[in-house]
Amino acid sequence: MSGEPTTGSLGRSVRRKEDQRLVTGHGRFVTDLELPRMRHVAFLRSPVAHARITGVDTSEAVGTGVRVFTGADFADVELRAQSALPSYVETGQPVFAHGKVRFAGEPVAAVVAADRYRAEDGCELVEIDYDPLPPTVCAWEPPEEPVHAEAPDNVLLERTFTAGEVDETFAGAAVVVERDLVTNRHSGNPMECRAGVAVWDAADRRLTFWNGTQVPHIVRNMIAELMDLPEGNVRVIAPDVGGGFGVKAVLYPEDVALCLMARAMPGVPLKWTEDRAEHLLAATHARDHRYRMRAAFDGDGTLLGIDADVTCNVGAYSVYPWTAGIEPLMAGGLLSGPYRLAHYRATVRGVATNTAPSGPYRGVARPASVYAMEAMFDSAAARLGLDAVEIRRRNVIMPEDVPYKMPSRLVDDSGHYAECLDKALDLIDYPSVRAEQERRRAAGEAPIGIGVALYNELTGLGRAASAGPRMPFRTGHDACTVRINADGRVTVFSGVTSQGQGLETTVAQIVADGIGVTYDDVDVRIGDTDASLWGFGAFSSRQAVIGGGAAHRTAQAVQAKLLDLAAGLLEASVDDLRVVDGRISVVGEAEPRISVAEVARVAYLESHRLPEGIEPGLEATRFYDPIRGAFAAGAQVAAVEVDRTTGELTILSYVCVEDAGRAMHPQIVDGQIAGSIAQGIGGALYEHLVYDTDGNLSTGTLLDYLMPTSAEIPEMVIGHVSRPAANPLGVRGVGEGGTLGPNAVLAGAVHDALGIEIDTLPVSPSRVWEALHAQEVRA
Amino acid sequence: MKCAPFDYVRPAGVGEVVTTLRQAGGDGKILAGGQSLVPVMAMRMARPSVLVDVNRVPGLSSVETDGDAVRVGALARHALLQAQPDHPLLAEAASWIGHTAIRTRGTTGGSLAHADPSAELPVVAVATGATVSVAGPDGVRELDAAELFTGMMTTSLADDEMITSVRFPRPSRWGFAEFARRHGDFALVTAVVTEFGDELRVTLGGVSAAPMRAHAAEEVLAGGGSARDAARAASEEIEPTADLHGSVPFRRAMAAEMVRRALVRTGVEE
Ligand SMILES: Cc1cc2nc3c(=O)[nH]c(=O)nc-3n(C[C@H](O)[C@H](O)[C@H](O)COP(=O)(O)OP(=O)(O)OC[C@H]3O[C@@H](n4cnc5c(N)ncnc54)[C@H](O)[C@@H]3O)c2cc1C
């Protein structure tokens, strides 16, 4: 019945739908919104990490004519992230701190004024008295005073993953590698910080919330619940969003505050644009972890067992709605990566501290866990005199092992790791890099090292593998509505969201090919909960698989109706019809018989021509849930030069090969991979959120928090292995994989070049220099 | 991150700038390129009551050769210093300041007055023995760059004084080396070597409250010592402090390495 499109758009790098507006400065971001009577919000934030609030005085500020809201105003509203895991200690996050503050930067009040300047003037006049409490900054030091009374030891969740016989395995191992690894707290830092505009329509009791979020439907659901509103009366609009990376997949107290304040000020739109200082201070952080790793190997480098203890600093609050489990559980579930492993014990815990909450950040925990795992191979290879590549080959999951049940009981359906590795080694020309390394060693020139990482990226999780730690919802499905309009053009209302990933483009490609119309005839609307039925949004590399799957299923449903109608009009058998590029033809005939536009006109305007039994209209809505997930294989290899005098690294070449399954838009796929590697390099070499012992953020501006610029990011070579996944489009997610490699690759390269083990990230010049210095002292 | 309220004036001449500053009674601030002042105002760490915008004051934006030196107007932008051919050391140093957008706005006078211990131009000013012309209520005075910098982001300028130009002598040979985390960042250490007559000077930025001459290193060189020996001497005579980017030993080592590189670039034997 369906046509084989001869000129489909999938698989080609068609011009992106969003580029016209984004590259000409016509993007529509929340901050661009100007509404009549709009007022501006500034949040007053705690200057201390941990303290009891002993006094709040707003009189002076209120005296200047601004409106002030404090903790007492919304004390009855609390964000409580829920999980059914037995060890989980549920805690609450207030809208504005009251009673006590738990991290420096936590909102304690808000001022509403005619503009942001005046709002900040007002904040200076609000008096809050603090009675300091001892702060906890480091998650692996015992607290003097717990962050939450419910968790006296600050542990919000702990779980042990076990498989096989760990103690016996270690007792009999030829080699046991042991390392304590600490990864650096950093964050997503999208170019656009957080932003919101909320307006309350008192007559209809309706709230409209423009929010730079990755998850508008989740936001609507949660805001309605927290404010006790009918869900249909809440409209969340995520217009153009300038990057998210997970930071914007969270519902924040500031978001809820904006909506609550808007309800208290009917008809007055309230706008808040987060600045970078606020973002660094109070948007979610990530990757502040310690891995105590032991690995057992036999004499030929076969991995026998892993015994790990993982502590994740989850900050002051269990992030809403993902919980404090998001990083520790991901670390424990995926630590063994794409390697065969029978004996496994990993205790993971999420520990609260007086620092900003940690939340999802592109790659969630795995940039750290891949580093920990690959460090085991690098150390074991050095001990056994094996090549770093060879030891990985001996242990990696192969296609014949698939489906492979990991020791955490996740099922790996990929197995294409060795293929990715081989291609990466070809692209970097591994033998010649090794030869150059030798030559330099002999000549006494600047040393180079080669770093290698293999990883499995769990993407497109369906209900059986759904992201998140047993929360009261499952994120396995998305919806899509496809409408062929009366002129034959197509409007899609998709549940996906985009923060720059080009989802309008990809969804249009899927729908165009799924119906048989041209890409240019498809227009995609996203990010408005009043327009699209349902979508969980952007996280866990899920949208190509799930939102894409929904678009595909819906397009097929609409095509079916289109062809039924056409068959009636043409008095042909539906099985003989094909639709290509908006024209419908009968098999075996040279010329098309009728256009999609003519059929659509009948569907809406010429009911007298409607065949018997066919209703007007050409529209369908479908959901898709892949049930399981699709593992995406990846390999990264880099050659790195080290300056022995300064400890600086120069990346000479960086290669990544991933299995994206079927690449729907090759340029977008490469963009995702390049961007995530760049973020990974930032985390590996530069980005570090540092707190002093009092809990003050020392890296509060981009002067001290070092983001990589294009000057720091090397040319990359990106290669592909295309093994279609078992879903309707054959795709695997590619949004996060790139971030998984760089920590392991760059620390591994330094190890390879100089024989020094980098156990604490980032791999900064001073760290490399100190390690070299210690090595010289030992020698 | 929005400034506290302030008044704004845009005088047309140096005299008016000085008068306005004097009337502000210590509470006025000159606005030049704004690249240092505006961020600290946005953080409300600076709260001048009057901002005196000098960008329209004529005649302060050029770079001119003046005998064996170049005279740089206070409003000459870093980008202009980078592009001019007459003082290659100044051009090299300017190319290390921030990024294009910052170099297009930031000014020579602003950089010297701001006196950031990690900034490039103050180091070059001390290394070349620059003379700074300063306009005040009693007319124009001239002072040595070394006398301008009195400590961490502090200068000997009075509240109602304005730098009008700086005269940078041209060294016969020079070498520049800088260590920063990313290109365009403030330096962890800047080393500038300048030769005037038969004297080799070693000047360091980023390792103390203000740019400093490494006298011990200079003595090593005067005694015919190698670049490595001088570098070691320099690293021992400084008192760096540990920070996010490294320990004291690391910073000493970076200072030594930058001095060595600057000396080698000058043509001194390793
Ligand atoms: C992202 C970024 C990166 C940067 N990186 C570097 C770097 O790597 N190296 C570096 O050196 N600088 C760097 N800068 C600072 C930049 O060079 C500034 O331009 C410079 O420090 C100040 O010059 P300005 O003209 O912008 O001065 P302004 O910001 O306008 O003023 C700075 C101070 O000087 C005073 N002032 C200005 N002009 C005069 C004058 N003629 N007489 C007396 N007082 C005056 C002002 O009142 C104020 O106190 C960076 C800035 C930014 C924003």
Side-chain angles (χ1 to χ4, degrees):
Chain A
M1 170 199 100
S2 79
E4 239 77 291
T6 51
T7 56
S9 65
L10 279 172
R12 294 191 290 126
S13 293
V14 291
R15 180 194 287 260
R16 299 201 332 159
K17 296 260 179 208
E18 42 281 271
D19 284 349
Q20 174 73 22
R21 67 175 192 278
L22 292 182
V23 304
T24 60
H26 290 81
R28 294 175 292 266
F29 298 88
V30 172
T31 318
D32 294 320
L33 198 65
E34 291 294 341
L35 296 174
R37 295 182 300 281
M38 188 138 91
R39 320 270 298 167
H40 295 261
V41 173
F43 290 103
L44 178 64
R45 297 176 181 280
S46 170
V48 289
H50 203 188
R52 255 183 275 285
I53 297 177
T54 53
V56 175
D57 183 355
T58 62
S59 52
E60 199 183 344
V62 171
T64 66
V66 298
R67 183 89 187 246
V68 183
F69 295 88
T70 67
D73 290 302
F74 307 124
D76 54 330
V77 183
E78 210 183 24
L79 286 72
R80 297 184 76 83
Q82 292 174 353
S83 162
L85 279 178
S87 73
Y88 180 65
V89 180
E90 192 180 302
T91 52
Q93 180 173 21
V95 175
F96 294 132
H98 52 92
K100 79 174 200 168
V101 291
R102 294 184 175 84
F103 72 98
E106 178 168 13
V108 288
V111 173
V112 181
D115 58 51
R116 177 66 176 258
Y117 291 84
R118 288 181 173 86
E120 291 191 15
D121 293 348
C123 283
E124 292 191 321
L125 301 175
V126 175
E127 286 283 340
I128 312 263
D129 299 324
Y130 298 98
D131 184 10
L133 294 166
T136 308
V137 175
C138 176
W140 35 98
E141 276 165 19
E144 249 181 83
E145 170 79 25
V147 180
H148 297 274
E150 300 92 318
D153 55 358
N154 279 352
V155 177
L156 297 188
L157 156 139
E158 182 171 290
R159 180 174 167 189
T160 301
F161 295 79
T162 48
E165 309 293 335
V166 175
D167 294 327
E168 292 79 344
T169 303
F170 275 82
V175 173
V176 173
V177 173
E178 247 184 277
R179 284 173 72 176
D180 276 9
L181 305 165
V182 175
T183 56
N184 48 316
R185 171 183 285 248
H186 55 285
S187 67
N189 264 297
M191 200 182 290
E192 181 203 23
C193 296
R194 293 180 285 159
V197 173
V199 59
W200 173 253
D201 178 340
D204 295 332
R205 293 187 54 76
R206 281 201 196 140
L207 177 77
T208 307
F209 184 34
W210 287 264
N211 186 203
T213 178
Q214 297 169 230
V215 292
H217 279 93
I218 299 186
V219 169
R220 181 183 69 175
N221 178 265
M222 295 185 295
I223 290 281
E225 192 179 304
L226 289 165
M227 293 177 66
D228 196 20
L229 293 171
E231 187 148 345
N233 286 16
V234 179
R235 179 179 182 190
V236 176
I237 302 170
D240 284 325
V241 178
F245 313 120
V247 174
K248 296 178 184 167
V250 168
L251 184 73
Y252 288 92
E254 289 93 337
D255 298 325
V256 183
L258 274 179
C259 295
L260 288 166
M261 293 189 295
R263 183 162 63 179
M265 299 178 72
V268 179
L270 298 185
K271 182 185 214 172
W272 171 59
T273 307
E274 183 187 49
D275 62 39
R276 187 63 61 185
E278 292 182 282
H279 187 81
L280 288 165
L281 200 57
T284 51
H285 295 176
R287 319 235 211 277
D288 184 346
H289 305 177
R290 183 187 67 178
Y291 293 75
R292 301 197 126 150
M293 296 287 293
R294 292 171 69 226
F297 291 87
D298 74 9
D300 64 11
T302 303
L303 176 68
L304 304 174
I306 290 281
D307 185 11
D309 180 275
V310 181
T311 303
C312 299
N313 186 337
V314 301
Y317 293 103
S318 192
V319 67
Y320 197 70
W322 307 107
T323 83
I326 181 163
E327 288 195 304
L329 293 175
M330 186 68 92
L334 272 302
L335 181 58
S336 63
Y339 299 105
R340 288 186 301 265
L341 178 64
H343 307 285
Y344 181 57
R345 179 167 59 215
T347 298
V348 299
R349 65 184 69 77
V351 179
T353 61
N354 298 108
T355 62
S358 42
Y361 171 31
R362 198 176 196 175
V364 182
R366 285 149 301 166
S369 68
V370 169
Y371 159 62
M373 191 65 196
E374 298 292 308
M376 295 297 98
F377 286 112
D378 288 338
S379 294
R383 293 263 292 274
L384 291 162
L386 283 174
D387 184 88
V389 167
E390 185 50 36
I391 193 166
R392 287 168 170 84
R393 268 196 213 294
R394 289 183 190 178
N395 290 289
V396 74
I397 297 166
M398 297 297 288
E400 57 269 26
D401 301 322
V402 161
Y404 183 82
K405 194 167 199 182
M406 296 170 61
S408 61
R409 286 182 270 287
L410 285 164
V411 178
D412 189 322
D413 70 335
S414 166
H416 303 298
Y417 308 99
E419 191 181 352
C420 289
L421 176 63
D422 286 339
K423 191 155 186 184
L425 294 172
D426 271 357
L427 288 170
I428 205 167
D429 195 356
Y430 190 64
S432 75
V433 183
R434 282 282 177 222
E436 170 65 5
Q437 184 180 40
E438 275 314 309
R439 189 194 66 73
R440 288 185 182 215
R441 268 192 192 134
E445 291 174 21
I448 57 176
I450 300 167
V452 185
L454 302 184
Y455 49 87
N456 51 2
E457 162 68 355
L458 189 46
T459 75
L461 303 173
R463 71 182 65 155
S466 201
R470 297 179 54 192
M471 299 171 306
F473 54 90
R474 288 287 177 277
T475 61
H477 55 273
D478 275 356
C480 187
T481 298
V482 173
R483 179 184 301 158
I484 302 180
N485 298 307
D487 63 358
R489 291 172 195 247
V490 180
T491 307
V492 183
F493 303 90
S494 165
V496 302
T497 68
S498 184
Q499 301 76 43
Q501 310 92 313
L503 265 300
E504 283 168 62
T505 297
T506 324
V507 167
Q509 289 179 279
I510 294 167
V511 170
D513 286 15
I515 299 176
V517 295
T518 64
Y519 169 73
D520 288 340
D521 277 347
V522 182
D523 182 37
V524 179
R525 310 278 163 84
I526 60 177
D528 182 346
T529 59
D530 266 11
S532 66
L533 173 58
W534 191 262
F536 279 99
F539 51 88
S540 291
S541 301
R542 65 186 293 284
Q543 296 198 116
V545 176
I546 301 175
H552 177 73
R553 286 197 69 211
T554 315
Q556 288 196 319
V558 172
Q559 189 202 48
K561 178 159 188 199
L562 173 76
L563 292 182
D564 273 349
L565 177 45
L569 291 174
L570 299 174
E571 295 179 350
S573 159
V574 89
D575 295 335
D576 292 339
L577 296 185
R578 300 286 179 271
V579 49
V580 176
D581 286 346
R583 288 184 296 265
I584 298 168
S585 50
V586 176
V587 172
E589 294 182 7
E591 291 301 315
R593 288 272 202 95
I594 193 169
S595 70
V596 169
E598 284 172 78
V599 178
R601 193 180 155 79
V602 173
Y604 290 97
L605 294 163
E606 299 174 16
S607 53
H608 58 287
R609 292 179 62 196
L610 275 177
E612 191 64 29
I614 292 188
E615 284 195 30
L618 274 176
E619 186 187 88
T621 298
R622 292 287 184 278
F623 280 82
Y624 176 67
D625 184 333
I627 311 299
R628 302 206 149 275
F631 270 93
Q636 293 179 22
V637 183
V640 175
E641 179 180 300
V642 188
D643 184 331
R644 296 188 72 108
T645 61
T646 61
E648 286 171 296
L649 308 189
T650 306
I651 300 172
L652 303 176
S653 49
Y654 205 108
V655 173
C656 175
V657 177
E658 284 197 11
D659 174 13
R662 176 177 179 210
M664 294 190 285
H665 189 293
Q667 194 183 29
I668 288 179
V669 169
D670 282 1
Q672 286 294 308
I673 294 172
S676 54
I677 292 174
Q679 273 189 314
I681 291 174
L685 301 184
Y686 300 100
E687 299 180 45
H688 195 183
L689 289 159
V690 181
Y691 283 94
D692 66 17
T693 48
D694 293 333
N696 298 310
L697 186 65
S698 307
T699 50
T701 72
L702 294 184
L703 188 69
D704 297 308
Y705 183 82
L706 308 179
M707 305 272 302
T709 71
S710 54
E712 278 74 45
I713 299 302
E715 287 291 330
M716 299 170 202
V717 179
I718 295 170
H720 299 280
V721 160
S722 291
R723 299 288 178 189
N727 57 50
L729 294 161
V731 296
R732 301 178 191 271
V734 288
E736 301 174 272
T739 61
L740 272 48
N743 281 342
V745 166
L746 296 169
V750 171
H751 188 185
D752 185 55
L754 305 168
I756 54 178
E757 291 181 343
I758 300 288
D759 288 342
T760 307
L761 298 180
V763 192
S764 62
S766 67
R767 195 151 278 137
V768 173
W769 183 89
E770 301 279 358
L772 264 172
H773 199 62
Q775 190 187 44
E776 275 161 23
V777 169
R778 278 197 305 273
Chain B
M1 279 289 237
K2 299 285 185 205
C3 308
F6 56 84
D7 288 335
Y8 172 86
V9 270
R10 198 171 64 200
V14 173
E16 204 187 320
V17 172
V18 171
T19 322
T20 317
L21 285 172
R22 189 153 54 164
Q23 282 162 356
D27 225 12
K29 274 262 172 223
I30 290 175
L31 173 71
Q35 298 303 290
S36 296
L37 179 58
V38 173
V40 291
M41 285 176 65
M43 288 187 263
R44 301 195 173 208
M45 280 154 48
R47 322 173 63 115
S49 60
V50 187
L51 216 49
V52 186
D53 182 346
V54 297
N55 283 283
R56 301 283 175 93
V57 174
L60 299 180
S61 302
S62 59
V63 177
E64 283 157 20
T65 304
D66 176 5
D68 56 359
V70 299
R71 180 175 290 281
V72 177
L75 287 177
R77 313 284 158 173
H78 307 326
L80 182 60
L81 292 189
Q82 190 183 358
Q84 55 77 32
D86 298 323
H87 199 301
L89 167 57
L90 213 42
E92 171 73 16
S95 75
W96 286 78
I97 301 173
H99 313 282
T100 304
I102 286 131
R103 294 194 293 267
T104 306
R105 287 177 180 263
T107 66
T108 307
S111 180
L112 295 196
H114 191 62
D116 189 301
S118 300
E120 286 80 5
L121 297 183
V123 187
V124 174
V126 171
T128 56
T131 310
V132 184
S133 298
V134 176
D138 307 323
V140 174
R141 65 177 176 120
E142 298 209 321
L143 71 163
D144 274 356
E147 294 160 20
L148 178 69
F149 305 111
T150 53
M152 175 79 82
M153 296 176 130
T154 50
T155 64
S156 54
L157 294 175
D159 291 335
D160 51 8
E161 285 188 314
M162 174 185 176
I163 296 173
T164 50
S165 69
V166 190
R167 190 176 179 277
F168 291 93
R170 253 190 315 235
S172 45
R173 290 192 299 167
W174 59 274
F176 181 99
E178 174 166 317
F179 182 71
R181 287 297 307 278
R182 300 168 303 181
H183 186 88
D185 277 340
F186 279 101
L188 292 188
V189 51
T190 300
V192 176
V193 174
T194 44
E195 184 187 63
F196 289 96
D198 53 12
E199 183 200 11
L200 274 172
R201 294 183 196 164
V202 178
T203 313
L204 293 171
V207 297
S208 48
M212 64 169 275
R213 291 273 294 276
H215 293 295
E218 292 176 1
E219 272 167 35
V220 169
L221 293 167
S226 69
R228 276 183 194 283
D229 292 340
R232 190 171 317 110
S235 76
E236 284 163 8
E237 70 187 291
I238 58 175
E239 296 289 341
T241 46
D243 70 0
L244 291 175
H245 302 300
S247 63
V248 168
F250 173 69
R251 298 186 75 118
R252 280 192 202 282
M254 292 311 102
E257 178 61 15
M258 294 308 120
V259 169
R260 188 193 67 78
R261 289 182 188 180
L263 282 167
V264 169
R265 283 167 198 166
T266 308
V268 175
E269 287 284 304
E270 280 250 33

